[in-house]
Amino acid sequence: MKVEYCGGDVLVKGVQCLDLDLTLDCGQAFRWEKQQDGSWSGVAKGVFLNIYKENDIVVLKNTTKEDFENVWYDYFDFGKDYVKICDTLKKDELIAGTVDEYYGIRILNQDSWEALCSFVISQQNNIKRIKGIISRLCATYGDKVCDGFYSFPSAQRLSSLSEEDFEALGTGYRAKYLEKLCRNVASGEIDLEKIKTLSLEDARKELLNIYGVGIKVANCALLFGFGFYDAFPIDVWMKRVMEYYPDGLPQCFDGIGGIAQQYLFHWARNNLK
């Protein structure tokens, strides 16, 4: 992989195993929008990006070297060898064909607060509705980054809101969870940075202590926002997938079970009725 800075754009050349359509629209992040030209636009960690890929070149439009190095390099996991990871997963013959069919799914390294808050909202919800709620949350309480795009509001900003304020965004019964979550994170009672330093088991226990966070939300937040690649979220789709693994997950999933889960989840959504 080679990085070039050209006319205000960042070109990452030699990128293998990255499909932006699959990665940005597979249910792990909710604020990316596909544009008419096939590119994607979104905001992460308060920074706007328009991105597209041609062959093995990823183009990050109007991006500074600082933003690429401090935000996007880690966000898109450019430092991880996904070709090697996929080859490892394919040692399991059940997932091998799925990896080939949906090759290029990556785990996005999202902001811990945004991921946790988003997956609390995601409970018993569909992706279209989740996106709508989060979009209203950001437009109402986030900072405008550029036309139509806003930052994800901090816990401090949201800690002054009432349960009724969250209900007004369409969060339903999740409003009471969000109200307490925002206040506890803002006060430091919940320390998200500390959770990142724990073992997977201990980090999961910490999240499960949070009002309104169950095992699925905890594992989603750990995988997508806390850097735990072995977290393995199980929802209604994955329960059906697990029927194919009656003896448990294969050894080749160790340490990268969350990446395997994304491939299996995407296969299930597209093939199981």
Side-chain angles (χ1 to χ4, degrees), residues 7-8 37 108 113 122 139 221 246 248:
D37 62 3
L108 301 170
W113 165 242
S122 78

Side-chain angles (χ1 to χ4, degrees), residues 41-43 46-49 143-151:
S41 293
V43 175
V47 181
F48 172 81
L49 179 68
D143 295 323
K144 185 177 180 179
V145 178
C146 59
D147 287 344
F149 292 90
Y150 301 84
S151 66

